[in-house]
Amino acid sequence: MERQTLIQAAIDALPGAYVPYSHFHVAAALLCGDGTIYTGINIENAAYTPTVCAERSAFFRAVNEGKRHFEAIVICGGKDGMLTDYCPPCGVCRQVMREFCDPATFRVILAKSQEEYREFTLEQLLPMGFGPEDLQ
Ligand code: THU
């Protein structure tokens, strides 16, 4: 049930993607430890490099609001907003997840619809990642 709610939140956010250059819409829905959900969309830029991914949009919204504990993220996306394939998170977004999430338990859910999804732990997507504890 919780997974279906999160998938729907990501799908609902998809039309808000600001993608005048790639036309590749991405949306994410991030579940916080307290049960709240933050969505994010990709926001592109005429200078290209300032573009921010949907996953980081969601994380930075939540972190700005004081959230520090996260359970799962749903990601969906595709050309012209069509969810024909899974949209895996880029390496930079995986690293941002690594900053705030337990790699063994944080779930990354790639969704095409309520029925079609694949679920991974962050550890599966970013093995032997560099995290805050490495600076201790
Ligand atoms: N994008 C995301 O939003 N998340 C990802 O993890 C992969 C890529 C966006 C960035 C850019 O706006 C578009 O998809 C094409 O790369």
Side-chain angles (χ1 to χ4, degrees), residues 19 22 24 26 42-44 51-55 75 87-90 93:
V19 288
S22 74
F24 193 88
V26 186
N42 53 335
I43 304 170
E44 298 188 340
T51 293
V52 65
C53 292
E55 300 91 318
I75 306 161
C87 179
C90 81
C93 289

Side-chain angles (χ1 to χ4, degrees), residues 65-82:
E65 298 282 327
K67 308 298 176 182
R68 294 292 186 273
H69 300 288
F70 304 101
E71 306 273 336
I73 192 167
V74 165
I75 306 161
C76 63
K79 194 85 177 165
D80 301 317
M82 303 295 288

Side-chain angles (χ1 to χ4, degrees), residues 3-130:
R3 188 194 294 108
Q4 304 310 337
T5 303
L6 210 54
I7 290 174
Q8 196 56 52
I11 291 173
D12 289 347
L14 200 59
Y18 178 76
V19 288
Y21 308 107
S22 74
H23 304 286
F24 193 88
H25 293 63
V26 186
L30 176 63
L31 177 65
C32 303
D34 63 4
T36 53
I37 294 172
Y38 284 80
T39 59
I41 41 88
N42 53 335
I43 304 170
E44 298 188 340
N45 189 282
Y48 293 179
T49 49
T51 293
V52 65
C53 292
E55 300 91 318
R56 274 175 289 151
S57 282
F59 264 93
F60 294 158
R61 280 181 88 185
V63 173
N64 264 282
E65 298 282 327
K67 308 298 176 182
R68 294 292 186 273
H69 300 288
F70 304 101
E71 306 273 336
I73 192 167
V74 165
I75 306 161
C76 63
K79 194 85 177 165
D80 301 317
M82 303 295 288
L83 302 183
T84 47
D85 288 304
Y86 294 114
C87 179
C90 81
V92 173
C93 289
R94 294 178 199 206
Q95 185 62 34
V96 168
M97 294 174 199
R98 182 66 181 79
E99 183 66 26
F100 295 104
C101 306
D102 178 348
T105 61
F106 185 70
R107 294 175 292 137
V108 180
I109 301 161
L110 314 182
K112 286 197 271 189
S113 69
Q114 292 274 358
E115 295 78 31
E116 285 181 290
Y117 60 83
R118 293 189 65 189
E119 188 168 317
F120 304 88
T121 63
L122 178 57
E123 197 166 44
Q124 287 176 294
L125 299 183
L126 188 69
M128 217 181 149
F130 187 84

